[in-house]
């Protein structure tokens, strides 16, 4: 079965960087895009970016341009999201989500989420 | 890119129907049939319930249905059950230059 397993919770200081991993299994890794979405405490969902694991590139939301880097390692079927210059407003649960094969603009499987806390 | 507008909360008794609206603009909901709905019980990851306005993935009960009119999409839960109590979010593809996708503000469904 399809699974996306994310790395554990992180606590970072303002100005630092964080790198969250998302290991995929149960399907052909290079066949489906992976998205990153975050959810600040008590708030809604916010789309951050997308990567094509086959190597055809990434696209990020303008809000995160210059601060986010999404990469992948095909040998381990893992996608990484690194967010730099962290500030308190970046405290959130970060999710990876797979684009559905039957509808590429739909997120059909989600990771369990990774809580990133930014605190002095 | 502003979030899609949803009512903060809706409620209903078991067996009743509730409808959640999701209002966007002509750049997202009104332009594309790429509206999805996600269910998120407390402390868990979102689960896909409806995609491309009105399609249900395998395993989602047919009590859940979706529709769209103009810039507003809707999710209807018929025959409400206690297990349906959760937060629900809509999402849409968007032609905005700042983002590819936009999510709704979220709606808390309470089963009375």
């Amino acid at each position: 079965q399809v699974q996306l397993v994310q790395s554990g919770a992180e606590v970072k200081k303002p100005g630092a960087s964080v790198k969250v991993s998302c290991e995929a299994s149960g399907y052909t890794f290079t066949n489906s895009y992976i998205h990153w979405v975050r959810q600040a405490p008590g708030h809604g969902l916010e789309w951050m970016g997308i990567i094509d694991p086959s190597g055809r590139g990434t696209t990020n939301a303008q809000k995160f341009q210059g601060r986010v880097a999404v990469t992948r390692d095909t040998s381990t079927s893992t996608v990484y999201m690194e967010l730099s210059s962290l500030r308190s407003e970046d405290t959130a649960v970060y999710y990876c989500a797979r684009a559905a094969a039957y509808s590429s603009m739909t997120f059909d499987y989600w990771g369990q989420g990774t809580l990133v806390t930014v605190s002095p | 890119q502003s979030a899609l507008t949803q009512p903060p909360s809706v409620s209903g008794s078991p067996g009743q129907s509730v409808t959640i609206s999701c209002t966007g603009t002509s750049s997202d909901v009104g332009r594309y049939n790429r509206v999805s709905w996600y269910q998120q019980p407390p402390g868990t990851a979102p689960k896909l319930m409806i995609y491309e306005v009105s399609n249900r993935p395998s395993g989602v009960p047919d009590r859940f249905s979706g529709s769209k009119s103009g810039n507003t999409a809707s999710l209807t839960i018929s025959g409400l059950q206690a297990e349906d109590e959760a937060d629900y979010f809509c999402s849409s593809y968007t032609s905005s230059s700042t983002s590819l996708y936009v999510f709704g503000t979220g709606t808390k469904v309470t089963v009375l």
Side-chain angles (χ1 to χ4, degrees):
Chain A
Q1 72 283 18
V2 174
Q3 279 193 301
L4 300 174
V5 179
Q6 299 183 221
S7 49
E10 303 262 13
V11 179
K12 296 291 183 181
K13 295 194 181 301
S17 297
V18 67
K19 192 170 187 177
V20 180
S21 67
C22 171
E23 183 178 359
S25 61
Y27 71 99
T28 302
F29 177 66
T30 51
N31 283 359
S32 298
Y33 295 169
I34 293 288
H35 298 263
W36 286 92
V37 176
R38 76 178 186 180
Q39 186 171 34
H43 286 75
L45 301 164
E46 181 176 31
W47 184 79
M48 298 180 68
I50 182 175
I51 185 168
D52 179 350
S54 71
R56 284 179 288 184
T58 63
T59 300
N60 301 317
Q62 186 178 85
K63 174 177 180 177
F64 302 102
Q65 292 283 23
R67 281 213 302 146
V68 69
V70 181
T71 58
R72 97 288 189 221
D73 181 344
T74 55
S75 68
T76 59
S77 298
T78 301
V79 173
Y80 300 91
M81 187 283 298
E82 183 170 21
L83 187 61
S84 59
S85 301
L86 290 169
R87 34 214 189 221
S88 59
E89 311 90 88
D90 294 319
T91 294
V93 176
Y94 289 77
Y95 294 102
C96 60
R98 191 186 78 155
Y102 51 82
S103 174
S104 63
M105 301 176 190
T106 299
F107 316 123
D108 63 348
Y109 286 92
W110 295 65
Q112 82 275 21
T114 297
L115 174 62
V116 175
T117 302
V118 183
S119 179
Chain B
Q1 176 67 52
S2 298
L4 307 176
T5 301
Q6 297 180 232
S9 63
V10 299
S11 61
S13 300
Q16 289 187 329
S17 293
V18 296
T19 296
I20 304 167
S21 61
C22 169
T23 301
T25 69
S26 57
S27 296
D28 39 64
V29 175
R31 184 167 184 168
Y32 303 101
N33 287 327
R34 302 299 187 187
V35 177
S36 302
W37 289 91
Y38 301 88
Q39 177 192 65
Q40 187 179 33
T44 70
K47 173 189 175 183
L48 176 65
M49 304 302 285
I50 296 287
Y51 68 97
E52 292 180 357
V53 176
S54 59
N55 296 288
R56 271 178 292 106
S58 173
V60 173
D62 59 7
R63 304 184 289 104
F64 292 86
S65 61
S67 63
K68 190 185 88 166
S69 177
N71 295 338
T72 298
S74 298
L75 172 72
T76 298
I77 309 173
S78 305
L80 199 60
Q81 298 183 6
E83 67 209 48
D84 300 333
E85 187 161 293
D87 291 328
Y88 290 79
F89 294 92
C90 58
S91 77
S92 174
Y93 186 73
T94 174
S95 63
S96 166
S97 60
T98 60
S99 182
L100 292 184
Y101 296 87
V102 60
F103 285 94
T105 49
T107 298
K108 170 68 176 178
V109 170
T110 301
V111 181
L112 301 172

